[in-house]
Amino acid sequence: MRAAPTILHLDMDAFFASAEQAAKPSLRGKAVVVGGLGPRGVVATASYEARVFGVHSAMPMAQARRLAPNAAYLVPRFTLYREISEQVMGLLRALSPLVEPLSLDEAFVDLEAGEAAWDEASARLAGAKLRVDIRTVTGLTGSVGLAGSKMLAKIASEQAKPDGLVVIEPGTERALLGPMSVRTLPGVGPATGDHLRRAGITTVDEIAEAGEDELVRLLGKAHGHALYAMALAHDERPVVAERETKSVSVEDTYDVDIHDRMRVGLEVQRLADRCVRRLRDAGLSGRTIVLKVRRYDFSTLTRSETLRGPTDDPGVVREAAARLLEAVDTTGGVRLLGVGVSGLADYTQEDLFAQAQAQAQAEAEAEAAAGESAVPEHPDEEGARDTVPEQVPPAERRWPAGHDVRHAEYGHGWVQGSGLGRVTVRFETPYSEPGRVRTFRTDDVALELADPLPLVRGTVCDRRGG
């Protein structure tokens, strides 16, 4: 552990919910809950106003609604959150080359490595300036902890919440940690906490008093040694600037179990495409395709297949995922599906067979099209060129709660709710007063989904949509 408190831990305050409050003037100062809104949804973030009612992250959404029935419940807008996160991480990297992001809203910074701090006074000044810069650039607040180690810096930022700065001065670490719960220490989750409690150990001081040998007996060699060292305020973990990505994956949990085998197959294909998009966005490819299936009884099966070489071809990933699904019994229903790619590389070994197959298919389709001028093409539907397709009405447009919209007459707003062929919109922007509410038909041609607006005028926001 360092003599000076030059390890900084930043944690944005109730990040998702705070971003929504900043974007929606009518929600400022009110209870806001962000997460999955279906029957099996969970809370991603709750505003501090919602936490007063006992709502917290990872809580089932149904329970949150019982605790805070009058809160605003919104679907996450990850496009906006990632944009804000990139702005914040840019500010951190201006302080030091050693920035270790833990999530979109949390990171460690080695201030000494960037010569941004070398003693308590300079560290405190750097932390205070960072908080001002974050508010100026994003309109949001973050809590900053400063200490001589990562463990203590994180504890300090927790003490600083919300919107504060706490410095743990050298020499005070043991006195600070002593009365704290064992759950304060990294690596002590509910199971380890219960195990220690049964042994009469509930505080950090009691861990130190128990001694290293007793902890090794209770928890095993590696965990016991590490926990004893942390109880003595020893944490030598460095700030690591780059974490190697080991896999890329996507998954969906379904509100109602899927029983239809064809529907399961279509969902797997859709997830495979999403996974490949993430893979390509990261400039990666992978050799091992992984399928995850959680069945109606909560049993989870994982199947994998390793290819000859790394790929980022969506066709190859779809075919591999489909083969893996063939070996899984989905009788009784499926509640979760996931597709992932591991064995990552930053290059692609082209799958020549897949390429040849795709080229042959394209040539066959072009040849068929040349002789069929009157029949629309549907290359993804088997047999579609043999008959004129039945006219199917377009699916009803989805209007996720909280997402941005634009109306040709009323301008920018956000979805308060939708159902029964109607969508309710509040028309306001991050820079306006609380706006009026209007209701439209879900198929109103004047209403469309829109990109999120930046929370602060003059900043650049992602244009991929809300």
Side-chain angles (χ1 to χ4, degrees):
M1 188 171 68
R2 305 179 189 206
T6 55
I7 300 296
L8 180 149
H9 181 261
L10 169 71
D11 197 351
M12 299 294 288
D13 299 322
F15 182 45
F16 297 173
S18 294
E20 297 300 343
Q21 289 175 318
K24 302 171 172 65
S26 59
L27 297 184
R28 292 170 190 169
K30 298 181 180 178
V32 174
V33 181
V34 180
L37 302 188
R40 292 174 180 166
V42 297
V43 174
T45 309
S47 70
Y48 287 99
E49 296 85 354
R51 295 179 190 188
V52 171
F53 298 98
V55 180
H56 57 77
S57 60
M59 171 182 284
M61 190 61 77
Q63 183 181 355
R65 288 185 184 276
R66 289 193 296 270
L67 292 172
N70 297 320
Y73 289 87
L74 307 175
V75 175
R77 294 189 296 161
F78 286 107
T79 297
L80 175 64
Y81 309 150
R82 289 191 188 100
E83 175 65 22
I84 300 169
S85 177
E86 288 170 7
Q87 293 172 332
V88 172
M89 297 303 165
L91 293 173
L92 299 183
R93 293 187 180 98
L95 287 174
S96 172
L98 288 183
V99 176
E100 182 178 339
L102 303 179
S103 61
L104 289 175
D105 60 340
E106 186 181 2
F108 287 111
V109 184
D110 187 329
L111 296 177
E112 189 175 21
E115 299 182 353
W118 49 91
D119 59 12
E120 182 186 339
S122 58
R124 189 182 293 273
L125 185 64
K129 183 179 183 301
L130 174 64
R131 292 178 58 235
V132 172
D133 289 344
I134 288 173
R135 184 186 287 274
T136 301
V137 171
T138 70
L140 304 180
T141 64
S143 295
V144 171
L146 290 155
S149 70
K150 289 168 72 172
M151 175 186 75
L152 291 166
K154 184 173 176 63
I155 290 172
S157 70
E158 286 295 321
Q159 292 184 326
K161 283 186 169 295
D163 190 21
L165 183 149
V166 168
V167 179
I168 297 179
E169 300 176 9
T172 67
E173 299 91 353
R174 287 288 303 277
L176 174 78
L177 281 175
M180 290 184 173
S181 164
V182 295
R183 292 289 304 276
T184 305
L185 300 180
V188 181
T192 301
D194 286 344
H195 195 49
L196 291 170
R197 181 181 53 78
R198 288 194 293 271
I201 300 172
T202 59
T203 67
V204 176
D205 261 346
E206 288 169 345
I207 288 178
E209 291 167 4
E212 190 170 13
D213 290 343
E214 177 66 8
L215 289 171
V216 168
R217 186 186 69 79
L218 287 171
L219 304 175
K221 188 173 182 180
H223 201 179
H225 284 312
L227 202 57
Y228 182 70
M230 288 183 178
L232 299 180
H234 297 159
D235 178 17
E236 302 299 329
R237 295 174 299 161
V239 175
V240 181
E242 297 295 335
R243 287 170 169 250
E244 182 181 357
T245 302
K246 296 182 179 180
S247 65
V248 174
S249 62
V250 297
E251 61 181 44
D252 277 345
T253 301
Y254 303 99
D255 294 341
V256 178
D257 291 348
I258 302 175
H259 294 270
D260 183 84
R261 181 76 178 187
M262 181 176 293
R263 165 86 188 285
V264 172
L266 291 173
E267 289 294 317
V268 167
Q269 300 295 289
R270 183 179 60 81
L271 290 167
D273 287 341
R274 276 175 52 196
C275 183
V276 169
R277 284 198 295 272
R278 286 195 182 180
L279 201 65
R280 289 182 168 179
D281 286 346
L284 298 169
S285 59
R287 296 184 65 223
T288 302
I289 315 303
V290 180
L291 175 70
K292 178 180 177 181
V293 180
R294 180 166 298 148
R295 297 187 292 190
Y296 70 98
D297 58 358
F298 286 89
S299 62
T300 302
L301 303 177
T302 303
R303 300 289 183 267
S304 64
E305 175 181 320
T306 299
L307 308 174
R308 294 193 301 273
T311 185
D312 65 352
D313 186 312
V316 173
V317 176
R318 281 196 302 265
E319 289 173 9
R323 286 194 296 271
L324 294 170
L325 180 61
E326 290 175 1
V328 176
D329 179 11
T330 60
T331 304
V334 169
R335 60 186 293 118
L336 178 146
L337 291 168
V339 174
V341 178
S342 61
L344 301 181
D346 57 2
Y347 65 94
T348 302
Q349 179 176 313
E350 297 294 339
D351 189 316
L352 299 179
F353 176 76
Q355 267 193 336
Q357 188 179 46
Q359 183 176 356
Q361 182 179 356
E363 290 173 353
E365 289 173 358
E367 182 179 346
E372 298 178 7
S373 58
V375 181
E377 284 209 31
H378 295 265
D380 294 330
E381 297 178 15
E382 185 177 346
R385 287 184 289 277
D386 296 331
T387 59
V388 177
E390 179 184 355
Q391 295 299 314
V392 179
E396 182 176 322
R397 288 189 291 173
R398 292 182 64 250
W399 302 99
H403 280 225
D404 298 84
V405 295
R406 177 169 293 280
H407 190 274
E409 179 180 353
Y410 302 111
H412 192 94
W414 58 277
V415 176
Q416 280 200 324
S418 63
L420 301 177
R422 295 286 186 271
V423 55
T424 301
V425 177
R426 184 180 289 273
F427 288 97
E428 60 186 7
T429 73
Y431 338 112
S432 73
E433 295 296 319
R436 291 189 59 182
V437 175
R438 298 180 184 275
T439 299
F440 307 90
R441 291 174 56 90
T442 53
D443 59 358
D444 190 325
V445 295
L447 189 67
E448 60 183 1
L449 288 172
D451 295 321
L453 296 176
L455 302 185
V456 176
R457 285 187 186 273
T459 60
V460 178
C461 196
D462 197 309
R463 291 294 144 208
R464 290 172 295 180

